[in-house]
Short mmCIF file of all heavy atoms in Angstrom, two decimals:
data_model
loop_
_atom_site.label_atom_id
_atom_site.label_comp_id
_atom_site.label_asym_id
_atom_site.label_seq_id
_atom_site.Cartn_x
_atom_site.Cartn_y
_atom_site.Cartn_z
N GLN R 72 -2.27 8.77 -9.49
CA GLN R 72 -3.26 7.69 -9.39
C GLN R 72 -2.68 6.37 -8.81
O GLN R 72 -3.47 5.50 -8.59
CB GLN R 72 -3.85 7.36 -10.88
CG GLN R 72 -2.84 7.20 -11.90
CD GLN R 72 -2.40 8.54 -12.73
OE1 GLN R 72 -2.33 9.60 -12.15
NE2 GLN R 72 -2.22 8.44 -14.03
N ASP R 73 -1.35 6.26 -8.71
CA ASP R 73 -0.84 5.09 -8.04
C ASP R 73 -0.90 5.08 -6.60
O ASP R 73 -0.72 4.02 -5.86
CB ASP R 73 0.67 4.87 -8.37
CG ASP R 73 0.86 4.78 -9.88
OD1 ASP R 73 0.17 4.16 -10.61
OD2 ASP R 73 1.99 5.28 -10.35
N ILE R 74 -1.26 6.18 -5.87
CA ILE R 74 -1.32 6.36 -4.54
C ILE R 74 -2.67 5.74 -4.04
O ILE R 74 -3.77 5.96 -4.50
CB ILE R 74 -1.33 7.83 -4.10
CG1 ILE R 74 0.03 8.43 -4.51
CG2 ILE R 74 -1.42 7.98 -2.61
CD1 ILE R 74 1.23 7.91 -3.85
N ASP R 75 -2.56 4.92 -2.99
CA ASP R 75 -3.72 4.22 -2.46
C ASP R 75 -4.51 5.14 -1.58
O ASP R 75 -5.61 5.02 -1.33
CB ASP R 75 -3.34 2.91 -1.61
CG ASP R 75 -2.84 1.94 -2.64
OD1 ASP R 75 -3.49 1.49 -3.59
OD2 ASP R 75 -1.54 1.58 -2.34
N LEU R 76 -3.81 5.96 -0.66
CA LEU R 76 -4.40 6.76 0.32
C LEU R 76 -3.54 8.13 0.50
O LEU R 76 -2.42 8.07 0.42
CB LEU R 76 -4.37 6.06 1.66
CG LEU R 76 -5.00 6.70 2.88
CD1 LEU R 76 -6.52 6.87 2.64
CD2 LEU R 76 -4.86 5.93 4.20
N ILE R 77 -4.35 9.18 0.56
CA ILE R 77 -3.63 10.47 0.87
C ILE R 77 -4.13 10.98 2.30
O ILE R 77 -5.39 10.99 2.52
CB ILE R 77 -4.13 11.44 -0.31
CG1 ILE R 77 -3.49 11.05 -1.66
CG2 ILE R 77 -3.46 12.95 0.12
CD1 ILE R 77 -3.84 12.02 -2.80
N ALA R 78 -3.24 11.28 3.04
CA ALA R 78 -3.51 11.73 4.41
C ALA R 78 -3.20 13.21 4.55
O ALA R 78 -2.01 13.52 4.20
CB ALA R 78 -2.95 10.83 5.51
N TYR R 79 -4.13 14.08 4.99
CA TYR R 79 -3.78 15.39 5.18
C TYR R 79 -3.72 15.70 6.70
O TYR R 79 -4.64 15.32 7.35
CB TYR R 79 -4.83 16.30 4.55
CG TYR R 79 -4.54 17.74 4.50
CD1 TYR R 79 -3.80 18.32 3.39
CD2 TYR R 79 -4.92 18.64 5.50
CE1 TYR R 79 -3.47 19.60 3.35
CE2 TYR R 79 -4.62 20.01 5.44
CZ TYR R 79 -3.90 20.46 4.38
OH TYR R 79 -3.64 21.80 4.37
N TYR R 80 -2.77 16.19 7.09
CA TYR R 80 -2.54 16.51 8.61
C TYR R 80 -3.24 17.72 9.02
O TYR R 80 -3.13 18.80 8.53
CB TYR R 80 -1.02 16.69 8.83
CG TYR R 80 -0.67 16.91 10.32
CD1 TYR R 80 -0.93 15.95 11.30
CD2 TYR R 80 -0.29 18.22 10.74
CE1 TYR R 80 -0.63 16.22 12.55
CE2 TYR R 80 0.08 18.49 11.98
CZ TYR R 80 -0.13 17.59 12.91
OH TYR R 80 0.12 17.84 14.21
N PHE R 81 -3.99 17.48 10.18
CA PHE R 81 -4.63 18.64 10.83
C PHE R 81 -4.03 18.74 12.22
O PHE R 81 -3.94 17.75 12.99
CB PHE R 81 -6.12 18.32 11.06
CG PHE R 81 -7.01 18.36 9.79
CD1 PHE R 81 -7.32 17.34 9.27
CD2 PHE R 81 -7.08 19.59 9.10
CE1 PHE R 81 -8.10 17.32 8.13
CE2 PHE R 81 -7.92 19.64 8.01
CZ PHE R 81 -8.42 18.48 7.54
N ALA R 82 -3.41 19.89 12.59
CA ALA R 82 -2.95 20.05 13.93
C ALA R 82 -3.92 19.92 14.99
O ALA R 82 -5.07 20.39 14.81
CB ALA R 82 -2.21 21.46 14.10
N LYS R 83 -3.63 19.18 16.05
CA LYS R 83 -4.64 18.86 17.03
C LYS R 83 -5.22 20.11 17.77
O LYS R 83 -6.40 20.23 18.08
CB LYS R 83 -4.12 17.86 18.12
CG LYS R 83 -3.84 16.60 17.58
CD LYS R 83 -3.37 15.69 18.73
CE LYS R 83 -3.28 14.17 18.29
NZ LYS R 83 -2.92 13.24 19.26
N HIS R 84 -4.36 21.20 17.81
CA HIS R 84 -4.85 22.29 18.52
C HIS R 84 -5.82 23.14 17.62
O HIS R 84 -6.50 23.94 18.17
CB HIS R 84 -3.82 23.11 18.96
CG HIS R 84 -2.93 23.82 17.79
ND1 HIS R 84 -1.99 23.07 17.24
CD2 HIS R 84 -2.96 24.97 17.16
CE1 HIS R 84 -1.40 23.88 16.25
NE2 HIS R 84 -2.03 24.98 16.18
N ASN R 85 -6.08 22.73 16.30
CA ASN R 85 -6.88 23.44 15.49
C ASN R 85 -8.16 22.56 15.19
O ASN R 85 -9.15 23.05 14.70
CB ASN R 85 -6.32 23.87 14.17
CG ASN R 85 -5.25 24.88 14.34
OD1 ASN R 85 -5.42 25.80 15.22
ND2 ASN R 85 -4.23 24.98 13.48
N PHE R 86 -7.94 21.28 15.31
CA PHE R 86 -9.06 20.29 14.76
C PHE R 86 -10.34 20.60 15.40
O PHE R 86 -11.41 20.54 14.83
CB PHE R 86 -8.56 19.05 15.06
CG PHE R 86 -9.39 17.84 14.33
CD1 PHE R 86 -9.20 17.57 13.11
CD2 PHE R 86 -10.28 17.20 15.08
CE1 PHE R 86 -10.05 16.53 12.47
CE2 PHE R 86 -11.19 16.28 14.53
CZ PHE R 86 -10.96 16.05 13.19
N ASP R 87 -10.29 20.82 16.70
CA ASP R 87 -11.70 21.01 17.39
C ASP R 87 -12.56 22.20 17.06
O ASP R 87 -13.54 22.27 17.28
CB ASP R 87 -11.45 21.07 18.95
CG ASP R 87 -10.46 22.21 19.33
OD1 ASP R 87 -10.05 22.83 18.45
OD2 ASP R 87 -10.33 22.43 20.58
N LEU R 88 -11.99 23.17 16.24
CA LEU R 88 -12.65 24.29 15.74
C LEU R 88 -12.90 24.34 14.25
O LEU R 88 -13.53 25.33 13.81
CB LEU R 88 -11.95 25.58 16.16
CG LEU R 88 -11.80 25.83 17.70
CD1 LEU R 88 -11.10 27.12 17.99
CD2 LEU R 88 -13.12 25.93 18.47
N LEU R 89 -12.71 23.22 13.54
CA LEU R 89 -12.91 23.13 12.27
C LEU R 89 -14.45 22.83 11.84
O LEU R 89 -15.03 22.11 12.66
CB LEU R 89 -11.98 21.99 11.48
CG LEU R 89 -10.56 22.40 11.46
CD1 LEU R 89 -9.96 21.08 10.71
CD2 LEU R 89 -10.32 23.57 10.57
N VAL R 90 -14.87 23.48 10.80
CA VAL R 90 -16.37 23.17 10.49
C VAL R 90 -16.21 22.77 9.07
O VAL R 90 -15.82 23.47 8.11
CB VAL R 90 -17.23 24.35 10.63
CG1 VAL R 90 -18.67 24.06 10.28
CG2 VAL R 90 -17.16 24.93 11.99
N VAL R 91 -16.63 21.65 8.66
CA VAL R 91 -16.49 20.88 7.48
C VAL R 91 -17.85 20.46 6.88
O VAL R 91 -18.67 19.97 7.44
CB VAL R 91 -15.65 19.52 7.66
CG1 VAL R 91 -15.45 18.89 6.32
CG2 VAL R 91 -14.19 19.91 8.30
N ALA R 92 -17.96 20.79 5.51
CA ALA R 92 -19.10 20.31 4.79
C ALA R 92 -18.75 18.98 4.15
O ALA R 92 -17.71 18.70 3.69
CB ALA R 92 -19.34 21.39 3.63
N TRP R 93 -19.87 18.19 4.32
CA TRP R 93 -19.60 16.64 3.86
C TRP R 93 -20.63 16.25 2.82
O TRP R 93 -21.82 16.32 3.23
CB TRP R 93 -19.73 15.85 5.10
CG TRP R 93 -19.52 14.34 5.10
CD1 TRP R 93 -20.73 13.50 4.98
CD2 TRP R 93 -18.48 13.62 4.87
NE1 TRP R 93 -20.17 12.20 5.05
CE2 TRP R 93 -18.87 12.18 4.93
CE3 TRP R 93 -17.18 13.88 4.75
CZ2 TRP R 93 -18.03 11.21 4.89
CZ3 TRP R 93 -16.18 12.83 4.76
CH2 TRP R 93 -16.60 11.50 4.76
N VAL R 94 -20.23 15.90 1.59
CA VAL R 94 -21.11 15.53 0.53
C VAL R 94 -20.73 14.16 0.04
O VAL R 94 -19.70 14.01 -0.59
CB VAL R 94 -21.18 16.55 -0.63
CG1 VAL R 94 -21.97 16.20 -1.75
CG2 VAL R 94 -21.54 18.04 -0.17
N GLN R 95 -21.62 13.20 0.22
CA GLN R 95 -21.40 11.92 -0.28
C GLN R 95 -22.66 11.20 -0.81
O GLN R 95 -23.83 11.40 -0.31
CB GLN R 95 -20.90 11.00 0.94
CG GLN R 95 -19.79 11.55 1.65
CD GLN R 95 -18.49 11.44 0.81
OE1 GLN R 95 -18.28 10.56 0.07
NE2 GLN R 95 -17.52 12.33 0.99
N GLY R 96 -22.53 10.47 -1.89
CA GLY R 96 -23.57 9.61 -2.44
C GLY R 96 -24.84 10.40 -2.80
O GLY R 96 -24.80 11.50 -3.33
N ARG R 97 -25.85 9.74 -2.60
CA ARG R 97 -27.21 10.15 -3.09
C ARG R 97 -27.73 11.42 -2.34
O ARG R 97 -27.28 11.69 -1.18
CB ARG R 97 -28.18 9.13 -3.07
CG ARG R 97 -27.84 7.89 -4.07
CD ARG R 97 -28.66 6.76 -3.87
NE ARG R 97 -30.09 7.13 -4.36
CZ ARG R 97 -31.15 6.32 -4.35
NH1 ARG R 97 -30.96 5.08 -3.74
NH2 ARG R 97 -32.37 6.61 -4.84
#
Side-chain angles (χ1 to χ4, degrees):
Q72 53 263 40
D73 298 327
I74 300 295
D75 298 299
L76 182 66
I77 297 177
Y79 190 88
Y80 174 74
F81 293 105
K83 287 187 177 181
H84 63 278
N85 290 330
F86 189 82
D87 57 354
L88 295 178
L89 290 177
V90 181
V91 179
W93 175 258
V94 176
Q95 303 293 329
R97 299 173 67 183

